[in-house]
Structure formats: structure tokens, C-alpha cells
Amino acid sequence: MPPSRFKYEGVFVTGTDTGVGKTVVTGAMAGALRARGVDAGVMKPAQTGVALGSGDKLVGDALYLATASGVDDAAELICPIDLREPLAPAVAAKLDGVSVDVERIADAYRVLSTIHDLTLVEGAGGLAVPLADGVLMSDLAIRLSLPVLIVARPGLGTINHCVLTVRYAQSCGLSVLGIVISNWPERPDLAARTSPVEIERYCGVPILGTVPHDSEVDTDLGRAGSTIKTMADNPLVEQLLAAIAA
């Protein structure tokens, strides 16, 4: 699919909560897109819980994204902001005695969008997580003019989380492409098996696919396990391409 057929320069990947598998989905999807001939870039605008002063060396989620996707963009483009404490970026920044420069993030994204056909931007936590003083993750998605892809967990509670996230996104004026269920178990329980139908019913957006759990994945160490290989044959990628086709 040539880039001229894309409605968007990128996709904002968010979650229904923290720890739902956004990083794994974003990196593996970018790698699968590149294998299909789409020049996909990756970006983690701000990451927390990492050592400061890494310079031009990628760490944490940003390292995983680069490793999984196979991109070689500069570290300051892939992840403009690193913060020490594992908290919401705005809170972590205060503790580090700094402020999150949203314009710096926007500038990095603009550069990536000129380099790549499509850039996958992974937010921190969910859409209502504070990014900077008075700025939420939803505000960044709006600032970058990106549609949203929501990553959710399987099991009990996910219907509520998905409905809240979709309705909040839509109330902000954001376009929701669909939902991906990550960490799909080998033997899903009753809640996991029945939730997808109810999520689509109450959210009014499609479940684009599922990504199986992989115990070998370690995003902190940049280990992708077999997720990239699995994603290569996952219909989720074609569903995403269809959702962003012009």
C-alpha cells in the first residue's frame, strides 16, 4: 500500500491502563508493517522509570520499540524525554526538577513524519495521564492530529475500561481506529472469551485483533521474544492498514 493512500501520518497508541502491552503491540506492529513494505517509524514521546543522562543511547520502552521495529533513527527523535521516577510524566518531571517540553516532542514527531510513511506514537499509560503541566496525553494526540489505537487487556473489567477510554477519546474529538487486546492467554477464561463481543457492542468501534501473551518478552531489556514473528502473520496488521487507508 503506497503512503499516498494513508489518511494519517501516524497513529497514537494508547492503553486502557498502564501495563496493558502498548509497547509490545507498538513495536511488533511497526516491525510487521516494515516487513510489508511500509516505512514505519516509532516514537515514545516521554518515558518514565529510566535512568537519566543516557545521551544518544536508547533505554527502556524506547529501546524495545527501536529493536522490534528495526529503525535506526536518532534516540532524541524516538524518545525526546526520559524521566527517572515510574510515574505520570508530569509528576516525574516535577520530582526531577524539570518540565516536559511539549514543543520538543512535537518537533521530533514532525521530523519522524518526514522520514517515515507512518509513525506509531506510543503514549504513557492512558489518554488522561498528565504529560506536562496542564497537558494530558489526549492533548498530545490532538496536537499531533493523530487517530487513536487502543490497547486493552483481556479478562474481567476490560469492558468497563474500554468503554471509558473510547468515550473519553471521542469526547475529546479524537478518532478511534479500533481496539487491540494484548496478552491474549493460551487458554482464555470465560471473561476473556465473552468480552470482545460486548466491547464492540458498547464501544461502537471494532476489535482489530489480539496479540498472544509471550513470556519471553522483556521490554526493559529490548527482548521481543517471538511476538514480532507472530505479528508478521497476524491479521491485525491488515486491519490497521485498512483502518488508515484513504
Side-chain angles (χ1 to χ4, degrees):
M1 177 180 293
S4 60
R5 292 185 59 191
F6 292 148
K7 287 188 289 189
Y8 310 99
E9 292 180 341
V11 173
F12 195 91
V13 184
T14 191
T16 54
D17 196 0
T18 188
V20 297
K22 295 186 309 300
T23 304
V24 173
V25 169
T26 304
M29 187 176 294
L33 287 168
R34 292 175 70 85
R36 284 167 165 77
V38 177
D39 185 354
V42 291
M43 184 183 190
K44 181 79 176 183
Q47 67 176 349
T48 62
V50 298
L52 301 181
S54 59
D56 60 356
K57 180 181 178 182
L58 288 168
V59 295
D61 289 352
L63 172 61
Y64 177 88
L65 292 179
T67 301
S69 63
V71 301
D72 58 0
D73 298 317
E76 63 267 21
L77 294 178
I78 295 175
C79 185
I81 309 292
D82 283 329
L83 299 163
R84 183 172 48 238
E85 299 298 336
L87 303 168
V91 180
K94 288 181 182 178
L95 294 177
D96 282 338
V98 299
S99 59
V100 173
D101 187 345
V102 178
E103 190 58 37
R104 179 181 171 188
I105 293 171
D107 286 343
Y109 171 75
R110 282 193 286 268
V111 174
L112 288 174
S113 67
T114 64
I115 297 173
H116 301 287
D117 299 341
L118 186 73
T119 302
L120 303 185
V121 180
E122 185 208 343
L127 285 174
V129 167
L131 170 63
D133 187 22
V135 180
L136 301 178
M137 281 291 166
S138 55
D139 297 316
L140 179 62
I142 293 168
R143 173 73 176 275
L144 302 182
S145 300
L146 297 178
V148 172
L149 178 68
I150 297 170
V151 179
R153 59 168 55 93
L156 195 62
T158 196
I159 298 172
N160 177 61
H161 297 159
C162 288
V163 171
L164 290 173
T165 301
V166 169
R167 293 190 179 180
Y168 173 72
Q170 292 172 338
S171 75
C172 294
L174 291 165
S175 174
V176 179
L177 299 175
I179 298 168
V180 176
I181 301 180
S182 186
N183 286 309
W184 188 258
E186 185 177 352
R187 295 181 177 84
D189 61 16
L190 184 59
R193 296 196 304 272
T194 57
S195 291
V197 171
E198 301 305 316
I199 289 170
E200 289 191 325
R201 176 186 177 191
Y202 289 104
C203 291
V205 299
I207 300 287
L208 297 182
T210 62
V211 177
H213 172 73
D214 184 350
S215 60
E216 298 301 315
V217 168
D218 189 324
T219 55
D220 289 335
L221 298 178
R223 290 205 292 255
S226 61
T227 303
I228 298 175
K229 182 179 179 181
T230 301
M231 186 69 81
D233 299 320
N234 195 322
L236 164 62
V237 181
E238 294 301 327
Q239 293 283 350
L240 177 66
L241 286 173
I244 62 175

